[in-house]
Amino acid sequence: MRGGSFIRDNNVLQIPLHNRIKFITKAVTSKIENDKKYALIAVKNQTTNVSIIHPISDFIIRNWKHSLFNTQKRQANNTVKFLNFLYSQNSTYTVNSLEDLTIEHGTEFLNFLTYKERKPKDTVRGFEKTLLNLYSFLYEKEIITTNVNERINIYAKDKDFPSPFKSAHFLNKKKKDTLHFIPEKYIFLFLELAYQLQPIIALGVYMQFFGGLRSGELVNLRVMDIKPIGPYGQNGLVADLQTRYLRNDLKSTCGNDFVKKPRIQLIYGYQDLLKTFYKQHMQNITVIKGDEPLFQNKKQQALTGSMYRYYFNNLKQQFLEYLRHSKNATDNLNALSLENALWSTHIGRGIFSNLLAEEAENIYDISFPRGDSNLESVLPYFSNTQRIKEKLEKRLDQLLTSH
């Protein structure tokens, strides 16, 4: 197109039509909003590797400006996939501008996801809802003439809601079950393997198992954000959880690097176990002022959420390998079961919730909502959780003696 413009004189958003570009999701930080991250849509020149924000990003901002970054990213990714599909199929559909969009284009895209990419029904339904919002946005902008709002309530909660894409097909393929915790008898084995084989995240695994922290919460911690209770945290740690964006050098669109619920959280100590993990971890990282990331790579930079998951999934495979080669037949069977389920870093949060059982309603019962309080002032509050701590220790003692 002339001058590289993606906007016609009448403000209709155009689709670039040369084979050197693709649409991408791009994370952008707003300096005037305290480094708030937005997921926008950009066009990338694959020859020069240069990308520019596309006006269709207004679709994301108008609909999800106040939503979590993860939500924005999912909607942007869905839109990007649709736009790249239109671009790749342009010789068939001849979509020179978004004003050429019809219901049939959306239907063909959904069937492409179903039959070519074998996406499960729920996944394709998610794309369908994004398309409904997109078509509604384009209609309101007077870019297309199809008013999907006359045909459907796009906010319907029913998964089988009526749709203008009536010829779209969906698979009924059963997805793997998501596992929320492993058998309790393997908790200490998993921790032992973490300590021996993946020391870079071993303390994080402990904090997930006995504090319920998410991986995104771990990678937002600095050394100064945790307060040991007792020598080397023998009796526990108190963690100040909030999003800090410790890797501003990365323009990542990963939605797992943030704190979903800012709070001050207690991580329980058990015997000398936490002391051992904490001591090993602090010896392995570089600490000068205390504002360094708690979880560091070899360059002393903060681990990202994706890197934490990488090390955790390596640990998972080492754990499964141990069970597969065990001389215990039950271990061998459990290895098969654990291999055929979906689980990753979230398993730690599930384990902690399961250990709490009837002693607390949920993880937040042993957290302190973040306000002006610092770590020192919150410590007395956690003395009220002594009953939970004693019950948890008793249960862990039983696990150690029975296995």
Side-chain angles (χ1 to χ4, degrees), residues 73-114:
K73 185 190 76 165
R74 182 173 66 252
Q75 299 299 332
N77 284 346
N78 287 356
T79 306
V80 161
K81 193 170 183 69
F82 177 53
L83 295 176
N84 283 328
F85 169 80
L86 293 175
Y87 170 76
S88 67
Q89 301 295 322
N90 191 264
S91 60
T92 301
Y93 302 131
T94 317
V95 181
N96 295 315
S97 168
L98 291 177
E99 67 180 352
D100 298 329
L101 274 184
T102 66
I103 292 295
E104 287 67 31
H105 294 127
T107 300
E108 288 296 320
F109 172 64
L110 296 175
N111 286 334
F112 166 80
L113 296 176
T114 296

mmCIF file of all heavy atoms in Angstrom, residues 73-114:
data_model
loop_
_atom_site.group_PDB
_atom_site.id
_atom_site.type_symbol
_atom_site.label_atom_id
_atom_site.label_comp_id
_atom_site.label_asym_id
_atom_site.label_seq_id
_atom_site.Cartn_x
_atom_site.Cartn_y
_atom_site.Cartn_z
ATOM 1 N N LYS A 73 -4.121 -10.195 26.722
ATOM 2 C CA LYS A 73 -3.231 -10.993 25.876
ATOM 3 C C LYS A 73 -3.998 -12.104 25.159
ATOM 4 O O LYS A 73 -3.790 -12.358 23.967
ATOM 5 C CB LYS A 73 -2.103 -11.607 26.713
ATOM 6 C CG LYS A 73 -1.075 -12.353 25.868
ATOM 7 C CD LYS A 73 -0.113 -13.144 26.727
ATOM 8 C CE LYS A 73 -0.778 -14.399 27.254
ATOM 9 N NZ LYS A 73 0.198 -15.360 27.800
ATOM 10 N N ARG A 74 -4.903 -12.767 25.893
ATOM 11 C CA ARG A 74 -5.680 -13.845 25.277
ATOM 12 C C ARG A 74 -6.540 -13.316 24.132
ATOM 13 O O ARG A 74 -6.592 -13.910 23.052
ATOM 14 C CB ARG A 74 -6.565 -14.520 26.330
ATOM 15 C CG ARG A 74 -7.376 -15.694 25.773
ATOM 16 C CD ARG A 74 -8.111 -16.437 26.859
ATOM 17 N NE ARG A 74 -9.149 -15.612 27.478
ATOM 18 C CZ ARG A 74 -9.078 -15.111 28.685
ATOM 19 N NH1 ARG A 74 -8.006 -15.312 29.423
ATOM 20 N NH2 ARG A 74 -10.071 -14.391 29.171
ATOM 21 N N GLN A 75 -7.193 -12.176 24.355
ATOM 22 C CA GLN A 75 -8.040 -11.604 23.308
ATOM 23 C C GLN A 75 -7.206 -11.108 22.125
ATOM 24 O O GLN A 75 -7.598 -11.277 20.958
ATOM 25 C CB GLN A 75 -8.880 -10.460 23.888
ATOM 26 C CG GLN A 75 -9.815 -10.863 25.012
ATOM 27 C CD GLN A 75 -10.842 -11.885 24.586
ATOM 28 O OE1 GLN A 75 -11.232 -11.952 23.424
ATOM 29 N NE2 GLN A 75 -11.296 -12.703 25.529
ATOM 30 N N ALA A 76 -6.052 -10.513 22.419
ATOM 31 C CA ALA A 76 -5.162 -10.056 21.345
ATOM 32 C C ALA A 76 -4.632 -11.237 20.545
ATOM 33 O O ALA A 76 -4.588 -11.197 19.302
ATOM 34 C CB ALA A 76 -4.008 -9.240 21.925
ATOM 35 N N ASN A 77 -4.230 -12.295 21.226
ATOM 36 C CA ASN A 77 -3.736 -13.492 20.536
ATOM 37 C C ASN A 77 -4.800 -14.095 19.626
ATOM 38 O O ASN A 77 -4.512 -14.522 18.504
ATOM 39 C CB ASN A 77 -3.280 -14.537 21.552
ATOM 40 C CG ASN A 77 -1.940 -14.210 22.185
ATOM 41 O OD1 ASN A 77 -1.210 -13.343 21.696
ATOM 42 N ND2 ASN A 77 -1.602 -14.880 23.269
ATOM 43 N N ASN A 78 -6.034 -14.154 20.121
ATOM 44 C CA ASN A 78 -7.129 -14.694 19.311
ATOM 45 C C ASN A 78 -7.347 -13.841 18.061
ATOM 46 O O ASN A 78 -7.532 -14.363 16.958
ATOM 47 C CB ASN A 78 -8.419 -14.738 20.126
ATOM 48 C CG ASN A 78 -8.413 -15.832 21.183
ATOM 49 O OD1 ASN A 78 -7.475 -16.615 21.265
ATOM 50 N ND2 ASN A 78 -9.449 -15.881 21.989
ATOM 51 N N THR A 79 -7.317 -12.523 18.238
ATOM 52 C CA THR A 79 -7.529 -11.607 17.113
ATOM 53 C C THR A 79 -6.388 -11.714 16.107
ATOM 54 O O THR A 79 -6.613 -11.740 14.890
ATOM 55 C CB THR A 79 -7.654 -10.158 17.617
ATOM 56 O OG1 THR A 79 -8.668 -10.088 18.620
ATOM 57 C CG2 THR A 79 -8.003 -9.218 16.479
ATOM 58 N N VAL A 80 -5.165 -11.782 16.621
ATOM 59 C CA VAL A 80 -3.986 -11.907 15.757
ATOM 60 C C VAL A 80 -4.060 -13.181 14.918
ATOM 61 O O VAL A 80 -3.765 -13.177 13.713
ATOM 62 C CB VAL A 80 -2.702 -11.893 16.622
ATOM 63 C CG1 VAL A 80 -1.520 -12.482 15.855
ATOM 64 C CG2 VAL A 80 -2.392 -10.470 17.065
ATOM 65 N N LYS A 81 -4.472 -14.262 15.535
ATOM 66 C CA LYS A 81 -4.568 -15.531 14.803
ATOM 67 C C LYS A 81 -5.601 -15.437 13.673
ATOM 68 O O LYS A 81 -5.395 -15.955 12.572
ATOM 69 C CB LYS A 81 -4.927 -16.666 15.762
ATOM 70 C CG LYS A 81 -4.746 -18.057 15.159
ATOM 71 C CD LYS A 81 -4.888 -19.131 16.218
ATOM 72 C CE LYS A 81 -4.634 -20.513 15.633
ATOM 73 N NZ LYS A 81 -3.221 -20.714 15.260
ATOM 74 N N PHE A 82 -6.698 -14.755 13.962
ATOM 75 C CA PHE A 82 -7.733 -14.575 12.946
ATOM 76 C C PHE A 82 -7.219 -13.709 11.796
ATOM 77 O O PHE A 82 -7.415 -14.035 10.618
ATOM 78 C CB PHE A 82 -8.968 -13.933 13.589
ATOM 79 C CG PHE A 82 -10.087 -13.623 12.628
ATOM 80 C CD1 PHE A 82 -10.600 -14.605 11.789
ATOM 81 C CD2 PHE A 82 -10.623 -12.337 12.560
ATOM 82 C CE1 PHE A 82 -11.641 -14.319 10.903
ATOM 83 C CE2 PHE A 82 -11.657 -12.046 11.683
ATOM 84 C CZ PHE A 82 -12.167 -13.037 10.851
ATOM 85 N N LEU A 83 -6.551 -12.606 12.124
ATOM 86 C CA LEU A 83 -6.038 -11.713 11.083
ATOM 87 C C LEU A 83 -4.974 -12.398 10.228
ATOM 88 O O LEU A 83 -4.943 -12.244 9.005
ATOM 89 C CB LEU A 83 -5.463 -10.442 11.720
ATOM 90 C CG LEU A 83 -6.477 -9.541 12.435
ATOM 91 C CD1 LEU A 83 -5.758 -8.370 13.108
ATOM 92 C CD2 LEU A 83 -7.535 -9.038 11.470
ATOM 93 N N ASN A 84 -4.108 -13.185 10.869
ATOM 94 C CA ASN A 84 -3.092 -13.910 10.101
ATOM 95 C C ASN A 84 -3.723 -14.985 9.227
ATOM 96 O O ASN A 84 -3.224 -15.291 8.136
ATOM 97 C CB ASN A 84 -2.058 -14.523 11.044
ATOM 98 C CG ASN A 84 -1.067 -13.492 11.557
ATOM 99 O OD1 ASN A 84 -0.733 -12.533 10.864
ATOM 100 N ND2 ASN A 84 -0.597 -13.670 12.793
ATOM 101 N N PHE A 85 -4.825 -15.571 9.701
ATOM 102 C CA PHE A 85 -5.556 -16.547 8.890
ATOM 103 C C PHE A 85 -6.107 -15.865 7.641
ATOM 104 O O PHE A 85 -5.967 -16.377 6.517
ATOM 105 C CB PHE A 85 -6.697 -17.149 9.710
ATOM 106 C CG PHE A 85 -7.672 -17.960 8.910
ATOM 107 C CD1 PHE A 85 -7.379 -19.262 8.541
ATOM 108 C CD2 PHE A 85 -8.887 -17.408 8.516
ATOM 109 C CE1 PHE A 85 -8.281 -20.006 7.784
ATOM 110 C CE2 PHE A 85 -9.797 -18.148 7.765
ATOM 111 C CZ PHE A 85 -9.492 -19.450 7.396
ATOM 112 N N LEU A 86 -6.739 -14.708 7.812
ATOM 113 C CA LEU A 86 -7.272 -13.974 6.662
ATOM 114 C C LEU A 86 -6.164 -13.618 5.679
ATOM 115 O O LEU A 86 -6.320 -13.730 4.456
ATOM 116 C CB LEU A 86 -7.975 -12.700 7.136
ATOM 117 C CG LEU A 86 -9.258 -12.871 7.944
ATOM 118 C CD1 LEU A 86 -9.743 -11.521 8.437
ATOM 119 C CD2 LEU A 86 -10.341 -13.563 7.126
ATOM 120 N N TYR A 87 -5.031 -13.199 6.235
ATOM 121 C CA TYR A 87 -3.905 -12.817 5.394
ATOM 122 C C TYR A 87 -3.383 -14.013 4.589
ATOM 123 O O TYR A 87 -3.147 -13.922 3.382
ATOM 124 C CB TYR A 87 -2.803 -12.239 6.272
ATOM 125 C CG TYR A 87 -1.491 -12.035 5.553
ATOM 126 C CD1 TYR A 87 -1.335 -10.968 4.673
ATOM 127 C CD2 TYR A 87 -0.434 -12.912 5.743
ATOM 128 C CE1 TYR A 87 -0.146 -10.787 3.991
ATOM 129 C CE2 TYR A 87 0.749 -12.740 5.071
ATOM 130 C CZ TYR A 87 0.896 -11.679 4.194
ATOM 131 O OH TYR A 87 2.062 -11.512 3.528
ATOM 132 N N SER A 88 -3.234 -15.165 5.271
ATOM 133 C CA SER A 88 -2.693 -16.357 4.607
ATOM 134 C C SER A 88 -3.655 -16.923 3.564
ATOM 135 O O SER A 88 -3.234 -17.582 2.614
ATOM 136 C CB SER A 88 -2.361 -17.435 5.644
ATOM 137 O OG SER A 88 -3.545 -17.921 6.257
ATOM 138 N N GLN A 89 -4.960 -16.668 3.751
ATOM 139 C CA GLN A 89 -5.968 -17.195 2.831
ATOM 140 C C GLN A 89 -6.485 -16.132 1.868
ATOM 141 O O GLN A 89 -7.556 -16.291 1.276
ATOM 142 C CB GLN A 89 -7.147 -17.756 3.650
ATOM 143 C CG GLN A 89 -6.784 -18.860 4.610
ATOM 144 C CD GLN A 89 -6.301 -20.114 3.904
ATOM 145 O OE1 GLN A 89 -6.817 -20.483 2.852
ATOM 146 N NE2 GLN A 89 -5.303 -20.778 4.469
ATOM 147 N N ASN A 90 -5.726 -15.047 1.721
ATOM 148 C CA ASN A 90 -6.241 -13.914 0.955
ATOM 149 C C ASN A 90 -6.528 -14.258 -0.500
ATOM 150 O O ASN A 90 -7.452 -13.710 -1.108
ATOM 151 C CB ASN A 90 -5.269 -12.737 1.035
ATOM 152 C CG ASN A 90 -5.858 -11.461 0.487
ATOM 153 O OD1 ASN A 90 -5.643 -11.119 -0.663
ATOM 154 N ND2 ASN A 90 -6.650 -10.773 1.316
ATOM 155 N N SER A 91 -5.750 -15.162 -1.069
ATOM 156 C CA SER A 91 -5.982 -15.528 -2.466
ATOM 157 C C SER A 91 -7.326 -16.220 -2.641
ATOM 158 O O SER A 91 -7.918 -16.202 -3.716
ATOM 159 C CB SER A 91 -4.857 -16.453 -2.961
ATOM 160 O OG SER A 91 -4.812 -17.647 -2.182
ATOM 161 N N THR A 92 -7.820 -16.814 -1.547
ATOM 162 C CA THR A 92 -9.116 -17.487 -1.590
ATOM 163 C C THR A 92 -10.254 -16.532 -1.281
ATOM 164 O O THR A 92 -11.297 -16.523 -1.943
ATOM 165 C CB THR A 92 -9.150 -18.656 -0.589
ATOM 166 O OG1 THR A 92 -8.103 -19.577 -0.911
ATOM 167 C CG2 THR A 92 -10.494 -19.374 -0.631
ATOM 168 N N TYR A 93 -10.058 -15.712 -0.237
ATOM 169 C CA TYR A 93 -11.149 -14.865 0.251
ATOM 170 C C TYR A 93 -11.122 -13.438 -0.302
ATOM 171 O O TYR A 93 -12.133 -12.748 -0.273
ATOM 172 C CB TYR A 93 -11.113 -14.801 1.779
ATOM 173 C CG TYR A 93 -11.217 -16.141 2.441
ATOM 174 C CD1 TYR A 93 -10.325 -16.523 3.437
ATOM 175 C CD2 TYR A 93 -12.198 -17.043 2.063
ATOM 176 C CE1 TYR A 93 -10.414 -17.758 4.043
ATOM 177 C CE2 TYR A 93 -12.302 -18.291 2.657
ATOM 178 C CZ TYR A 93 -11.401 -18.642 3.650
ATOM 179 O OH TYR A 93 -11.493 -19.866 4.241
ATOM 180 N N THR A 94 -9.960 -12.975 -0.773
ATOM 181 C CA THR A 94 -9.808 -11.611 -1.278
ATOM 182 C C THR A 94 -10.332 -10.590 -0.276
ATOM 183 O O THR A 94 -11.223 -9.776 -0.572
ATOM 184 C CB THR A 94 -10.530 -11.436 -2.634
ATOM 185 O OG1 THR A 94 -10.267 -12.569 -3.456
ATOM 186 C CG2 THR A 94 -10.017 -10.176 -3.346
ATOM 187 N N VAL A 95 -9.807 -10.644 0.921
ATOM 188 C CA VAL A 95 -10.144 -9.669 1.948
ATOM 189 C C VAL A 95 -9.076 -8.586 1.915
ATOM 190 O O VAL A 95 -7.999 -8.726 2.485
ATOM 191 C CB VAL A 95 -10.210 -10.325 3.347
ATOM 192 C CG1 VAL A 95 -10.585 -9.279 4.400
ATOM 193 C CG2 VAL A 95 -11.212 -11.461 3.360
ATOM 194 N N ASN A 96 -9.362 -7.498 1.218
ATOM 195 C CA ASN A 96 -8.395 -6.414 1.081
ATOM 196 C C ASN A 96 -8.470 -5.420 2.221
ATOM 197 O O ASN A 96 -7.575 -4.619 2.428
ATOM 198 C CB ASN A 96 -8.607 -5.687 -0.244
ATOM 199 C CG ASN A 96 -8.329 -6.595 -1.427
ATOM 200 O OD1 ASN A 96 -7.331 -7.307 -1.450
ATOM 201 N ND2 ASN A 96 -9.228 -6.587 -2.396
ATOM 202 N N SER A 97 -9.566 -5.441 2.945
ATOM 203 C CA SER A 97 -9.760 -4.538 4.070
ATOM 204 C C SER A 97 -10.733 -5.197 5.033
ATOM 205 O O SER A 97 -11.509 -6.079 4.649
ATOM 206 C CB SER A 97 -10.326 -3.199 3.579
ATOM 207 O OG SER A 97 -10.776 -2.428 4.683
ATOM 208 N N LEU A 98 -10.689 -4.769 6.272
ATOM 209 C CA LEU A 98 -11.611 -5.337 7.246
ATOM 210 C C LEU A 98 -13.062 -5.032 6.910
ATOM 211 O O LEU A 98 -13.969 -5.696 7.408
ATOM 212 C CB LEU A 98 -11.271 -4.819 8.651
ATOM 213 C CG LEU A 98 -9.956 -5.342 9.230
ATOM 214 C CD1 LEU A 98 -9.689 -4.715 10.596
ATOM 215 C CD2 LEU A 98 -9.974 -6.856 9.349
ATOM 216 N N GLU A 99 -13.313 -4.045 6.063
ATOM 217 C CA GLU A 99 -14.687 -3.763 5.659
ATOM 218 C C GLU A 99 -15.235 -4.865 4.748
ATOM 219 O O GLU A 99 -16.443 -4.950 4.513
ATOM 220 C CB GLU A 99 -14.776 -2.412 4.956
ATOM 221 C CG GLU A 99 -14.067 -2.350 3.628
ATOM 222 C CD GLU A 99 -14.184 -0.973 2.980
ATOM 223 O OE1 GLU A 99 -14.946 -0.141 3.506
ATOM 224 O OE2 GLU A 99 -13.504 -0.738 1.972
ATOM 225 N N ASP A 100 -14.332 -5.741 4.259
ATOM 226 C CA ASP A 100 -14.767 -6.862 3.424
ATOM 227 C C ASP A 100 -15.188 -8.075 4.247
ATOM 228 O O ASP A 100 -15.622 -9.086 3.683
ATOM 229 C CB ASP A 100 -13.635 -7.286 2.469
ATOM 230 C CG ASP A 100 -13.241 -6.182 1.501
ATOM 231 O OD1 ASP A 100 -14.132 -5.384 1.141
ATOM 232 O OD2 ASP A 100 -12.056 -6.116 1.124
ATOM 233 N N LEU A 101 -15.042 -8.003 5.559
ATOM 234 C CA LEU A 101 -15.351 -9.150 6.413
ATOM 235 C C LEU A 101 -16.822 -9.531 6.353
ATOM 236 O O LEU A 101 -17.710 -8.667 6.378
ATOM 237 C CB LEU A 101 -14.994 -8.836 7.870
ATOM 238 C CG LEU A 101 -13.557 -9.074 8.328
ATOM 239 C CD1 LEU A 101 -13.458 -8.788 9.834
ATOM 240 C CD2 LEU A 101 -13.104 -10.490 8.040
ATOM 241 N N THR A 102 -17.073 -10.840 6.333
ATOM 242 C CA THR A 102 -18.425 -11.364 6.401
ATOM 243 C C THR A 102 -18.487 -12.444 7.465
ATOM 244 O O THR A 102 -17.452 -12.900 7.975
ATOM 245 C CB THR A 102 -18.863 -11.979 5.055
ATOM 246 O OG1 THR A 102 -18.053 -13.140 4.792
ATOM 247 C CG2 THR A 102 -18.722 -10.974 3.915
ATOM 248 N N ILE A 103 -19.684 -12.890 7.785
ATOM 249 C CA ILE A 103 -19.863 -13.986 8.743
ATOM 250 C C ILE A 103 -19.159 -15.242 8.242
ATOM 251 O O ILE A 103 -18.594 -16.018 9.033
ATOM 252 C CB ILE A 103 -21.364 -14.268 8.959
ATOM 253 C CG1 ILE A 103 -22.019 -13.097 9.697
ATOM 254 C CG2 ILE A 103 -21.576 -15.567 9.727
ATOM 255 C CD1 ILE A 103 -21.513 -12.893 11.106
ATOM 256 N N GLU A 104 -19.146 -15.446 6.920
ATOM 257 C CA GLU A 104 -18.534 -16.653 6.351
ATOM 258 C C GLU A 104 -17.034 -16.714 6.654
ATOM 259 O O GLU A 104 -16.480 -17.799 6.858
ATOM 260 C CB GLU A 104 -18.763 -16.694 4.833
ATOM 261 C CG GLU A 104 -20.187 -17.017 4.411
ATOM 262 C CD GLU A 104 -21.188 -15.933 4.765
ATOM 263 O OE1 GLU A 104 -20.782 -14.733 4.788
ATOM 264 O OE2 GLU A 104 -22.356 -16.271 5.042
ATOM 265 N N HIS A 105 -16.375 -15.570 6.679
ATOM 266 C CA HIS A 105 -14.938 -15.564 6.995
ATOM 267 C C HIS A 105 -14.702 -16.068 8.422
ATOM 268 O O HIS A 105 -13.779 -16.845 8.679
ATOM 269 C CB HIS A 105 -14.362 -14.147 6.842
ATOM 270 C CG HIS A 105 -14.377 -13.652 5.444
ATOM 271 N ND1 HIS A 105 -14.934 -12.444 5.087
ATOM 272 C CD2 HIS A 105 -13.926 -14.212 4.288
ATOM 273 C CE1 HIS A 105 -14.802 -12.268 3.784
ATOM 274 N NE2 HIS A 105 -14.201 -13.328 3.282
ATOM 275 N N GLY A 106 -15.526 -15.604 9.348
ATOM 276 C CA GLY A 106 -15.411 -16.076 10.729
ATOM 277 C C GLY A 106 -15.695 -17.553 10.843
ATOM 278 O O GLY A 106 -15.013 -18.290 11.567
ATOM 279 N N THR A 107 -16.693 -18.015 10.117
ATOM 280 C CA THR A 107 -17.051 -19.434 10.138
ATOM 281 C C THR A 107 -15.910 -20.290 9.610
ATOM 282 O O THR A 107 -15.562 -21.335 10.192
ATOM 283 C CB THR A 107 -18.313 -19.678 9.297
ATOM 284 O OG1 THR A 107 -19.396 -18.921 9.847
ATOM 285 C CG2 THR A 107 -18.688 -21.158 9.291
ATOM 286 N N GLU A 108 -15.306 -19.861 8.501
ATOM 287 C CA GLU A 108 -14.193 -20.620 7.917
ATOM 288 C C GLU A 108 -13.013 -20.686 8.890
ATOM 289 O O GLU A 108 -12.336 -21.716 8.998
ATOM 290 C CB GLU A 108 -13.750 -19.974 6.597
ATOM 291 C CG GLU A 108 -14.714 -20.163 5.453
ATOM 292 C CD GLU A 108 -14.863 -21.629 5.072
ATOM 293 O OE1 GLU A 108 -13.850 -22.347 5.062
ATOM 294 O OE2 GLU A 108 -15.993 -22.057 4.787
ATOM 295 N N PHE A 109 -12.774 -19.594 9.590
ATOM 296 C CA PHE A 109 -11.675 -19.571 10.566
ATOM 297 C C PHE A 109 -11.940 -20.554 11.702
ATOM 298 O O PHE A 109 -11.053 -21.322 12.094
ATOM 299 C CB PHE A 109 -11.515 -18.162 11.123
ATOM 300 C CG PHE A 109 -10.547 -18.050 12.271
ATOM 301 C CD1 PHE A 109 -9.200 -18.327 12.089
ATOM 302 C CD2 PHE A 109 -10.986 -17.683 13.536
ATOM 303 C CE1 PHE A 109 -8.295 -18.230 13.153
ATOM 304 C CE2 PHE A 109 -10.104 -17.578 14.598
ATOM 305 C CZ PHE A 109 -8.759 -17.854 14.405
ATOM 306 N N LEU A 110 -13.157 -20.567 12.219
ATOM 307 C CA LEU A 110 -13.493 -21.480 13.318
ATOM 308 C C LEU A 110 -13.388 -22.931 12.869
ATOM 309 O O LEU A 110 -12.909 -23.794 13.620
ATOM 310 C CB LEU A 110 -14.900 -21.177 13.843
ATOM 311 C CG LEU A 110 -15.080 -19.785 14.472
ATOM 312 C CD1 LEU A 110 -16.544 -19.544 14.836
ATOM 313 C CD2 LEU A 110 -14.199 -19.616 15.704
ATOM 314 N N ASN A 111 -13.802 -23.219 11.651
ATOM 315 C CA ASN A 111 -13.683 -24.589 11.142
ATOM 316 C C ASN A 111 -12.229 -24.960 10.873
ATOM 317 O O ASN A 111 -11.843 -26.131 11.012
ATOM 318 C CB ASN A 111 -14.512 -24.745 9.865
ATOM 319 C CG ASN A 111 -15.998 -24.809 10.164
ATOM 320 O OD1 ASN A 111 -16.399 -25.204 11.260
ATOM 321 N ND2 ASN A 111 -16.832 -24.439 9.196
ATOM 322 N N PHE A 112 -11.418 -23.973 10.516
ATOM 323 C CA PHE A 112 -9.975 -24.202 10.363
ATOM 324 C C PHE A 112 -9.379 -24.646 11.704
ATOM 325 O O PHE A 112 -8.576 -25.592 11.771
ATOM 326 C CB PHE A 112 -9.309 -22.917 9.875
ATOM 327 C CG PHE A 112 -7.811 -22.913 9.981
ATOM 328 C CD1 PHE A 112 -7.023 -23.544 9.035
ATOM 329 C CD2 PHE A 112 -7.170 -22.270 11.044
ATOM 330 C CE1 PHE A 112 -5.642 -23.543 9.136
ATOM 331 C CE2 PHE A 112 -5.797 -22.260 11.150
ATOM 332 C CZ PHE A 112 -5.028 -22.896 10.194
ATOM 333 N N LEU A 113 -9.771 -23.952 12.787
ATOM 334 C CA LEU A 113 -9.286 -24.327 14.124
ATOM 335 C C LEU A 113 -9.733 -25.736 14.490
ATOM 336 O O LEU A 113 -8.978 -26.507 15.091
ATOM 337 C CB LEU A 113 -9.805 -23.326 15.164
ATOM 338 C CG LEU A 113 -9.343 -21.879 15.044
ATOM 339 C CD1 LEU A 113 -10.035 -21.019 16.093
ATOM 340 C CD2 LEU A 113 -7.829 -21.776 15.200
ATOM 341 N N THR A 114 -10.962 -26.082 14.118
ATOM 342 C CA THR A 114 -11.514 -27.390 14.482
ATOM 343 C C THR A 114 -10.891 -28.519 13.684
ATOM 344 O O THR A 114 -10.436 -29.519 14.251
ATOM 345 C CB THR A 114 -13.041 -27.394 14.283
ATOM 346 O OG1 THR A 114 -13.631 -26.454 15.195
ATOM 347 C CG2 THR A 114 -13.618 -28.781 14.543
#
